[in-house]
Amino acid sequence: MERKNIAFYNHEFTTLDNVRISPLDRGYIFGDGVYEVTKVHDGRCFALSYHLDRLYRSMRLMQIPATIAPDELTEIHGVLVEESGIRNGSVYLQVTRGTAPRTHTFPAGIQPNILMFVQEDNPHKQELAASGVKVITLDDIRWEHVDIKSLNLIPNVLGAQQAKKKGADDALFFRGDELMEGTSSNVFMVRDGIIWTRPADERILKGITRQLILTKVAPSCGVTTIERTIDREYLAKAEEVFITGTTTGIAPVVQIDKTIVGDGKPGPVVRKLQERYAGLMAEGLP
Ligand code: PDD
């Protein structure tokens, strides 16, 4: 058995190729489920309790009953990481409403299906954190509850693919004139030495990395943060822009569509944040 291939499905540890999912799983049929991605740093999960809090919130808002306790999920994360032998990567966890004959309303008495596996980091992401990323801008065509980390990611998938096709690394979503977030990242800008980011309401995902920057990393760097909406004109005045996420870490944005940000190189504020964030990861966070 390839160790890296270890998976957990419902009540058992198995391997990814041995997981048998019914075609009637509502995740498969309707995208009726939620997920989390937790960073594995140096063989340990980082900020797992934050991810689990968000998972239970997503389940509550989707009215998916919690049939497993956070402690048990924490333990399973630990086993998966250890058994996989993966030192740096992420754990993917998804919970679907369950398996039942196809009908839109919630079938009575079904049990949620829980799937988990570990993935290694993509080394390309680290290069991007060092060199900076190019992004395109797109209209946000998602629904108005993207604070729920649901499986419905079509606009995100299409947006990321469109960015790739244009030689960019991500796309920033705008609702009208207002900046929202990336396809799998939150977005920040620096102006007058202050860090600005959009308040986390229903129209963006309240990213864990974002939260850690606002509550721990920026304060420890002595940098002020303000949560305020950002429009195109304000964004154009940014000295620095960066995106954040579990798999992205903190990545400087050096180009937005055809416009170069600052001097086109990662700026001093983002560098300082990256350094502190690396320190926080090395310390570990439950
Ligand atoms: N995505 N916004 C969106 C739409 C996201 O999908 C993500 C993360 C983030 C950043 O959140 P966090 O810092 O908690 O990872 C923001 C994960 C990594 C994914 O879909 O793979």
Side-chain angles (χ1 to χ4, degrees):
M1 167 184 140
E2 166 89 277
R3 281 174 78 197
K4 286 177 188 170
N5 226 353
I6 187 168
F8 177 85
Y9 188 60
N10 290 340
H11 304 287
E12 326 187 314
F13 288 99
T14 176
T15 54
L16 268 178
D17 42 345
N18 275 322
V19 175
R20 293 283 170 268
I21 296 175
S22 164
L24 293 178
D25 182 305
R26 289 177 62 101
Y28 184 62
I29 298 276
F30 291 118
D32 190 2
V34 297
Y35 77 105
E36 276 298 326
V37 183
T38 303
K39 179 89 187 92
V40 176
H41 177 78
D42 220 1
R44 277 189 305 173
C45 284
F46 178 69
L48 178 57
S49 66
Y50 291 73
H51 287 277
L52 293 182
D53 283 353
R54 189 172 62 188
L55 173 75
Y56 284 86
R57 178 182 183 274
S58 294
M59 288 198 292
R60 209 166 48 243
L61 290 168
M62 295 267 285
Q63 301 166 58
I64 295 176
T67 54
I68 189 163
D71 284 357
E72 210 178 326
L73 284 179
T74 303
E75 206 178 303
I76 299 164
H77 274 79
V79 173
L80 285 173
V81 172
E82 187 166 339
E83 294 295 317
S84 72
I86 291 176
R87 304 291 299 169
N88 292 294
S90 53
V91 177
Y92 180 81
L93 156 64
Q94 79 166 39
V95 182
T96 69
R97 192 176 307 281
T99 305
R102 183 179 184 277
T103 177
H104 284 66
T105 52
F106 305 169
I110 59 168
Q111 285 287 307
N113 291 322
I114 302 170
L115 171 69
M116 293 166 70
F117 55 85
V118 196
Q119 274 188 305
E120 264 178 321
D121 270 345
N122 175 351
H124 180 56
K125 293 260 177 178
Q126 270 163 5
E127 290 162 29
L128 292 178
S131 61
V133 300
K134 292 181 192 171
V135 299
I136 60 167
T137 61
L138 290 177
D139 283 336
D140 195 344
I141 55 168
R142 300 175 300 166
W143 74 321
E144 305 216 355
H145 234 311
V146 297
D147 57 322
I148 302 174
K149 207 161 170 54
S150 90
L151 299 178
N152 296 270
L153 293 174
I154 288 306
N156 310 57
V157 167
L158 295 179
Q161 183 60 26
Q162 200 171 329
K164 185 176 173 188
K165 210 166 124 195
K166 291 193 168 169
D169 307 291
D170 199 0
L172 300 183
F173 285 130
F174 281 80
R175 284 197 194 253
D177 201 32
E178 223 185 274
L179 175 60
M180 298 291 145
E181 62 180 337
T183 64
S184 59
S185 58
N186 291 115
V187 57
F188 294 72
M189 63 174 271
V190 180
R191 192 177 166 198
D192 300 326
I194 292 171
I195 294 176
W196 306 81
T197 195
R198 184 182 197 288
D201 53 14
E202 297 81 24
R203 291 180 164 199
I204 63 167
L205 183 77
K206 191 173 182 182
I208 306 302
T209 322
R210 172 190 183 281
Q211 205 174 326
L212 295 176
I213 287 172
L214 293 175
T215 58
K216 293 185 189 291
V217 183
S220 85
C221 292
V223 183
T224 304
T225 56
I226 296 181
E227 290 176 78
R228 208 202 71 163
T229 55
I230 296 169
D231 61 18
R232 289 176 201 268
E233 193 187 333
Y234 205 73
L235 181 65
K237 292 178 183 148
E239 289 145 16
E240 299 179 37
V241 176
F242 56 94
I243 54 173
T244 68
T246 295
T247 46
T248 309
I250 302 175
V253 174
V254 294
Q255 189 175 327
I256 303 174
D257 292 325
K258 295 209 155 52
T259 310
I260 303 292
V261 179
D263 60 3
K265 293 196 193 83
V269 175
V270 73
R271 284 283 180 241
K272 200 151 79 177
L273 295 174
Q274 285 178 320
E275 201 179 296
R276 288 292 165 100
Y277 189 63
L280 186 62
M281 285 224 281
E283 263 172 45
L285 192 62

